[in-house]
Amino acid sequence: MPLIRDIAQADYSVVEELLNSNDLGDGRFYDPEGLDVIVAELHGSVVGVAEFQIHCDFGHDEGREAHPGEQTFVLTMAVADTDRRSGVGRALLTEIARRAQEAGHTFLALAPQDGDDATSRQAFFQACGLTLYGSDKPGAAWGCPVSKILDADATNSRPLPHQTSPSH
């Protein structure tokens, strides 16, 4: 299992490359200002990243009918091609759900990025328990109760190693 930890400044260039290789970067120097960011490490190398907002009212701002109230919103997730299907993405999502629960939020939401890999992204999020809520249109929100993600992780009976502060 990967080590999940907060991003450190030393990770910025690796995260920038990881986002760009997944067509999720903007081509500029990586700066996570204003975001919550965690990374996944395997064998001492960063192989995954997730950007999120622990406190978000995305649904209300967008006028979504099925909006569940303040929630944690995942902005971006990326895993190195060589480490997909190894539990890295699920470990990142589980850590976000754990932090959301600690913050008192009961719902996790996201809008899967469009692009060439959109179908596999949606399949991944669906396999993790998230479902479409609201209307099915570009930028549609997906979400689920935080407990659903945490319960699925507990069912897998694999302890999730995590560290809440940078280790540099």
Side-chain angles (χ1 to χ4, degrees):
M1 283 304 291
L3 169 71
I4 305 297
R5 62 173 174 78
D6 288 322
I7 192 169
Q9 190 167 1
D11 302 321
Y12 287 12
S13 62
V14 174
V15 167
E16 180 181 339
E17 289 175 27
L18 188 58
L19 291 172
N20 288 334
S21 71
N22 280 274
D23 295 324
L24 300 172
D26 60 11
R28 296 181 292 189
F29 180 74
Y30 184 72
D31 181 8
E33 182 71 31
L35 300 175
D36 297 295
V37 182
I38 55 176
V39 295
E41 257 187 48
L42 280 176
H43 311 295
S45 297
V46 172
V47 298
V49 62
E51 300 172 320
F52 58 102
Q53 292 178 325
I54 207 73
H55 305 288
C56 182
D57 201 5
F58 171 77
H60 183 266
D61 293 345
E62 299 293 317
R64 296 176 190 270
E65 295 173 20
H67 171 61
E70 192 167 314
Q71 61 207 261
T72 294
F73 192 81
V74 179
L75 299 161
T76 309
M77 282 184 60
V79 175
D81 288 340
T82 56
D83 294 291
R84 289 191 179 163
R85 300 182 125 8
S86 66
V88 172
R90 191 175 291 267
L92 286 165
L93 200 58
T94 299
E95 177 62 12
I96 294 169
R98 187 190 66 75
R99 292 180 185 206
Q101 185 179 55
E102 284 180 359
H105 298 295
T106 60
F107 200 79
L108 186 103
L110 55 85
Q113 291 90 358
D114 295 328
D116 294 341
D117 212 12
T119 302
S120 65
R121 285 185 186 116
Q122 289 179 357
F124 166 74
F125 292 124
Q126 190 171 19
C128 290
L130 287 91
T131 57
L132 180 69
Y133 71 94
S135 62
D136 186 8
K137 59 183 181 181
W142 288 54
C144 72
V146 166
S147 60
K148 188 171 186 179
I149 294 170
L150 296 175
D151 290 348
D153 185 62
T155 301
N156 290 337
S157 69
R158 296 183 305 198
L160 177 65
H162 65 273
Q163 184 173 337
T164 57
S165 62
S167 60
H168 293 278

